[in-house]
Amino acid sequence: MSISVKDVSDISYREADEIRNSPDYLDQLEAEAIYIMREVAGQFERPALLFSGGKDSITLVRLAQKAFAPGKIPFPLVHVDTGHNFIEAIEYRDQLAEEIGAKLVVRYVEDTIKAKGLKEQTGKNASRNWLQTFTLLDTIEEFEFDACIGGARRDEEKARAKERIFSFRDEFGQWDPKRQRPELWNLFNGRISKGENVRVFPISNWTELDVWAYLKRENITLPSIYFAHQRELILRDGKLLNNTPVIEKDENDQIVTRQVRFRTVGDMTCTAAVESSASTLDEVIAEISISRISERGETRIDDQQTEAAMEDRKKGGYF
C-alpha cells in the first residue's frame, strides 16, 4: 500500500499503524526529510543543527548523515545547555559528535545569566528553560546562523502544529504565525534579509511513534534514560521529577523510588518521568502505540503552566 505522507490523517488508526510499520512509509518520511536538509544546505550560507542528545535530534543527525554522505555533515551541531540537563543526554551528545567527526558548539545559559544579569525563576517549578531563548539568540548572532534545523514535530504540542517546515523569524528572532510563508508542493522559500533567520523542521510530518520506528530500523543506540530503570524521584502534584539539587523541594514533595523511563529529555527541572517497564525499543514502541497523550502533554511541566505557554515562548524566539 503506497500513500503520501500528508494522507495519513485521513485514514483509520489501524491502517495508519500498518503503514507506519511498512518500510515504504518510513522511506517516504526519510526522503522528505533528506530533501529538506539538502534545501537548507542549498539555500542558506550558515546553517546549524540544534542537537541536545535527545531522540528527535539524534534522528536529525542520522538524516543529515544520509543527506550528505559520503561527506561529513556540512554544518555544526549546536546545543544550548541550561546546566540542568540530564547527564545521560550530555554524555551521548559529546560521544556522538566525536564519533561522527561533527563540529559541536555548546553555549551555556549560566553564562548568559551572568553576562546579561538575567533573573532566574525561584520557588516551586522554577526552571531555566525559558532562559534558553536568550542564549540561543546570542548564539545565532555570534555565529551569524541564518538557518537552525530543529527536531520539532507537529504532534508534540498545539503551538508546534502552527509551524511551517521553514519557519521564518524576524531580526529579533521572533515568530509570528501570521507571517509564515505558504509551502505548496514542497517548495520552500528561504529568502531572508540580514539579521533574519529561519528555523527548519525536517521531521515536522513525523510522529513520536515514527521517530521510534525509524530509530529501530536504523539500529541506533540511544541514551539509557529512554528505557525503564530504577530511579529516585520527587513525586510532585502527580508528576515524577528527577531527584536533583537543582529542583527546590517543598513540604508536599515526596521522595520515591520507581521504575521509570523518560519520553523526552529536556531540562530536569520541568521534565517528568513516566512509570514504565519498557526496556527495549519494541517495548517502547508498543507502549507509545496505546498512549493517547502526547509526550509534552504528559511530561513537560513548563508547557502546562498556561494555555499558551509554548506559543508565548516561541514568539519570543524559542526553538
Side-chain angles (χ1 to χ4, degrees):
M1 181 178 185
S2 179
I3 189 165
S4 71
V5 172
K6 299 186 187 298
D7 290 332
V8 173
S9 61
D10 299 325
I11 61 179
S12 71
Y13 282 117
R14 181 183 61 79
E15 290 172 318
D17 287 339
E18 289 175 358
I19 294 166
R20 183 178 291 109
N21 291 325
S22 71
D24 182 59
Y25 178 74
L26 289 177
D27 285 345
Q28 289 185 59
L29 288 174
E30 179 187 71
E32 179 187 50
I34 287 174
Y35 168 74
I36 293 165
M37 289 276 191
R38 290 172 177 167
E39 282 290 300
V40 171
Q43 293 196 42
F44 297 96
E45 294 182 8
R46 296 185 182 88
L49 191 155
L50 302 177
F51 181 66
S52 65
K55 66 183 184 305
D56 297 319
S57 58
I58 293 169
T59 298
L60 290 178
V61 168
R62 174 53 60 91
L63 291 165
Q65 286 180 292
K66 289 193 171 188
F68 305 107
K72 291 184 178 181
I73 299 174
F75 34 73
L77 310 183
V78 175
H79 184 216
V80 174
D81 190 339
T82 66
H84 299 163
N85 296 96
F86 290 97
I87 186 62
E88 295 93 336
I90 296 300
E91 290 176 348
Y92 186 98
R93 177 201 72 188
D94 295 342
Q95 179 184 339
L96 182 62
E98 182 178 359
E99 183 181 301
I100 66 174
K103 179 182 178 182
L104 176 64
V105 174
V106 181
R107 290 295 181 267
Y108 298 92
V109 172
E110 179 76 31
D111 294 338
T112 308
I113 292 171
K114 293 176 180 177
K116 293 182 177 292
L118 300 178
K119 185 177 180 180
E120 294 192 59
Q121 292 179 340
T122 58
K124 184 176 180 179
N125 296 328
S127 174
R128 285 180 174 176
N129 206 37
W130 70 282
L131 293 175
Q132 290 181 85
T133 298
F134 294 95
T135 309
L136 175 63
L137 294 178
D138 285 350
T139 305
I140 290 172
E141 183 178 4
E142 176 185 355
F143 292 93
E144 298 184 339
F145 292 136
D146 50 4
C148 292
I149 301 168
R153 307 184 320 269
R154 287 176 180 157
D155 71 322
E156 283 183 87
E157 201 273 345
K158 57 188 178 184
R160 296 287 203 201
K162 296 181 180 180
E163 289 278 21
R164 298 290 195 267
I165 290 174
F166 273 32
S167 179
F168 173 76
R169 306 296 173 108
D170 65 21
E171 63 272 24
F172 302 106
Q174 296 177 325
W175 173 74
D176 181 352
K178 295 179 180 179
R179 293 187 62 200
Q180 299 307 304
R181 298 159 177 175
E183 294 178 340
L184 305 175
W185 308 290
N186 282 345
L187 296 175
F188 303 114
N189 180 0
R191 189 173 298 173
I192 57 174
S193 300
K194 186 174 178 58
E196 298 171 341
N197 69 85
V198 171
R199 312 289 169 83
V200 181
F201 304 112
I203 59 172
S204 186
N205 286 323
W206 298 42
T207 66
E208 181 187 10
L209 199 54
D210 296 331
V211 167
W212 282 106
Y214 187 74
L215 293 169
K216 177 187 174 184
R217 190 186 81 169
E218 297 295 301
N219 195 29
I220 295 174
T221 301
L222 294 164
S224 59
I225 196 170
Y226 279 121
F227 302 99
H229 57 283
Q230 291 287 328
R231 185 178 287 252
E232 187 175 83
L233 303 145
I234 301 167
L235 178 59
R236 171 181 292 176
D237 300 331
K239 300 290 186 184
L240 293 166
L241 296 167
N242 196 43
N243 186 17
T244 169
V246 303
I247 296 179
E248 185 177 330
K249 302 176 184 64
D250 67 24
E251 59 185 14
N252 296 315
D253 291 336
Q254 300 176 46
I255 306 301
V256 299
T257 299
R258 301 281 172 82
Q259 180 172 265
V260 298
R261 70 179 193 84
F262 287 82
R263 289 179 69 178
T264 181
V265 291
D267 190 292
M268 287 188 291
T269 59
C270 58
T271 304
V274 294
E275 292 195 68
S276 172
S277 61
S279 59
T280 67
L281 272 170
D282 284 330
E283 290 171 346
V284 169
I285 289 170
E287 186 176 273
I288 294 170
S289 296
I290 61 174
S291 175
R292 290 295 175 259
I293 304 175
S294 73
E295 62 190 282
R296 296 190 75 98
E298 183 173 22
T299 67
R300 292 300 290 270
I301 295 171
D302 54 334
D303 288 348
Q304 299 166 24
Q305 291 181 352
T306 68
E307 184 72 16
M310 168 66 83
E311 184 158 340
D312 289 342
R313 291 201 306 278
K314 281 166 52 62
K315 287 179 178 178
Y318 188 73
F319 305 165

